[in-house]
């Protein structure tokens, strides 16, 4: 049992959490989660409506049984008006001693959320994107968009990267923050025309990406719209694509894309990693990401291990 509570801020989480370490650990955790006899425990996110602020508090506990690691993430997320300067998500992670029940550490959850989400999207692309992928498009320009840009350009080689956002100045600010050349597009249709890999990381609650614009065989990683009545992708895209998710149970409860379109989920990413379901790289594919407590736990454990090494 820890003698005192440890507080790990955003800068330290950023310093200690690297994609090269995170991705292999997430692949293991996703595979373990999708086994019939899994030991890791992760209930579907519990949400508390914050109607006054058009938002929700989400509670995401997870217990990595094989590593005896217990934590929970508390994340507030909001349906913001276009042009709002308020954050769309804020998160905190608590590390809990599973034997004694006390909180060992409190750490900033914003960086963990951004990096683990982007890392899982990169895993989906590694499994599902076309063999020759040259054009990468990001819809959105916030923290998730930037973390996806960072991991995708670190992991893969694209000839062109495009961005679209509701406001051109946001897209231009994103392009300036990026480490490489980014083409700013005026419309979603222009941004996704001919794209091999598309990430949707928007605040949209109604579809912004339409199937008629997506070229056959493209891979889409959809990371926004985490409520059963919110969506970024339309029925046409959901019906023509093979749909992959992080958790079938989570998608059935929370994904507006899946629920409202009636699309069938083909596989969990973990099933592909385990070899029990195929990666249909030659087809149009959608990975609907909702985020999982075990993903936060894997990232938080990595941060805590690095923190202890440096203190």
């Amino acid at each position: 049992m820890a003698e005192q509570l440890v507080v790990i801020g955003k800068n330290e989480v950023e310093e200690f959490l690297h994609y090269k370490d995170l991705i292999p650990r997430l692949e293991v955790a996703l595979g373990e989660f999708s086994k019939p006899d899994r030991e890791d425990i992760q209930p579907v996110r519990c949400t508390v409506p914050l109607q006054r602020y058009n938002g929700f508090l989400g509670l995401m506990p997870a217990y990595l049984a094989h590593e005896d690691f217990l934590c929970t993430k508390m994340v507030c997320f909001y349906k913001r008006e276009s042009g709002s300067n308020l954050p769309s998500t804020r998160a905190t992670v608590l590390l809990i001693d599973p034997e004694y029940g006390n909180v060992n550490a409190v750490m900033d959850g914003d960086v963990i959320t951004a990096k683990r989400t982007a890392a899982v999207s990169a895993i989906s692309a590694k499994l599902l994107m076309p063999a020759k992928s040259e054009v990468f498009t990001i819809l959105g320009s916030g923290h998730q968009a930037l973390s996806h840009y960072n991991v995708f350009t670190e992991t893969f080689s694209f000839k062109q990267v495009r961005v679209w956002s509701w406001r051109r100045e946001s897209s231009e600010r994103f392009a300036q923050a990026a480490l490489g050349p980014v083409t700013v597009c005026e419309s979603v249709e222009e941004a996704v025309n001919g794209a091999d890999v598309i990430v949707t990381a928007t605040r949209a609650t109604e579809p912004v990406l339409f199937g008629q614009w997506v070229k056959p065989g493209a891979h889409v990683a959809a990371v926004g719209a985490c409520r059963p009545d919110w969506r970024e992708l339309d029925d046409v895209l959901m019906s023509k694509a093979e749909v992959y998710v992080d958790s079938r149970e989570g998608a059935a409860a929370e994904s507006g894309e899946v629920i409202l379109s009636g699309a069938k989920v083909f596989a969990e990413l973990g099933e592909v990693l385990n070899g029990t379901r195929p990666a249909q790289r030659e087809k149009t594919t959608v990975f609907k990401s909702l985020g999982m407590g075990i993903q936060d736990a894997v990232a938080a454990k990595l941060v805590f291990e690095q923190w202890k090494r440096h203190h």
Side-chain angles (χ1 to χ4, degrees), residues 6 32 38 45 61 63-64 85 87 124 128-129 131 143 147 170 173 184 204 216 231 262 283 288 297:
V6 170
E32 288 295 322
R38 74 167 181 251
R45 173 170 33 211
Y63 179 52
L64 303 179
N85 291 321
S124 82
L128 300 169
M129 74 182 190
H143 296 302
S147 64
S170 300
R173 194 161 50 243
V184 173
R231 59 191 302 189
K283 295 187 177 180
K288 177 55 200 170

Side-chain angles (χ1 to χ4, degrees), residues 11-234:
N11 290 342
E12 283 191 298
V13 176
E14 186 80 58
E15 178 187 350
F16 296 141
L17 194 57
H18 300 284
Y19 291 119
K20 63 180 174 55
D21 305 315
L22 181 58
I23 285 175
R25 293 189 184 206
L26 285 170
E27 288 178 336
V28 170
L30 289 166
E32 288 295 322
F33 177 80
S34 292
K35 289 178 179 175
D37 58 347
R38 74 167 181 251
E39 295 181 8
D40 295 341
I41 299 169
Q42 175 204 272
V44 171
R45 173 170 33 211
C46 167
T47 55
V48 178
L50 307 172
Q51 291 181 331
R52 180 182 297 182
Y53 303 105
N54 219 358
F56 298 86
L57 166 65
L59 302 175
M60 302 173 67
Y63 179 52
L64 303 179
H66 58 292
E67 300 188 55
D68 197 31
F69 186 81
L70 176 66
C71 82
T72 189
K73 185 172 79 175
M74 301 179 294
V75 55
C76 288
F77 54 98
Y78 304 88
K79 180 181 178 181
R80 300 295 194 197
E81 296 300 321
S82 180
S84 170
N85 291 321
L86 294 172
S88 55
T89 62
R90 293 304 300 270
T92 304
V93 177
L94 306 181
L95 274 52
I96 302 163
D97 187 303
E99 183 178 8
Y100 289 85
N102 61 285
V103 176
N104 282 337
V106 178
M107 64 178 71
D108 177 87
D110 292 345
V111 174
I112 284 174
T113 302
K115 286 196 169 185
R116 63 80 156 144
T117 306
V120 173
S121 294
I123 292 167
S124 82
K126 188 163 78 168
L127 297 170
L128 300 169
M129 74 182 190
K132 281 189 68 175
S133 289
E134 297 181 343
V135 179
F136 173 45
T137 291
I138 302 172
L139 305 182
S141 58
H143 296 302
Q144 281 289 2
L146 193 55
S147 64
H148 277 75
Y149 170 86
N150 289 336
V151 71
F152 272 72
T153 55
E154 183 181 311
T155 309
F156 312 111
S157 295
F158 298 105
K159 289 187 176 177
Q160 186 184 30
V161 179
R162 304 172 185 163
V163 66
W164 169 87
S165 184
W166 303 104
R167 295 185 296 170
R168 184 178 175 87
E169 58 264 34
S170 300
S171 298
E172 289 172 347
R173 194 161 50 243
F174 175 93
Q176 289 168 359
L179 297 175
V182 174
T183 301
V184 173
C185 297
E186 296 293 337
S187 68
V188 175
E189 185 174 3
E190 177 193 344
V192 303
N193 181 39
D196 301 292
V197 181
I198 302 165
V199 166
T200 61
T202 73
R203 297 177 178 183
T205 57
E206 301 289 339
V208 292
L209 180 60
F210 294 86
Q212 69 199 61
W213 300 337
V214 177
K215 84 171 191 179
H219 175 59
V220 178
V223 302
C226 56
R227 295 293 301 153
D229 56 345
W230 296 0
R231 59 191 302 189
E232 296 177 298
L233 317 182
D234 79 332

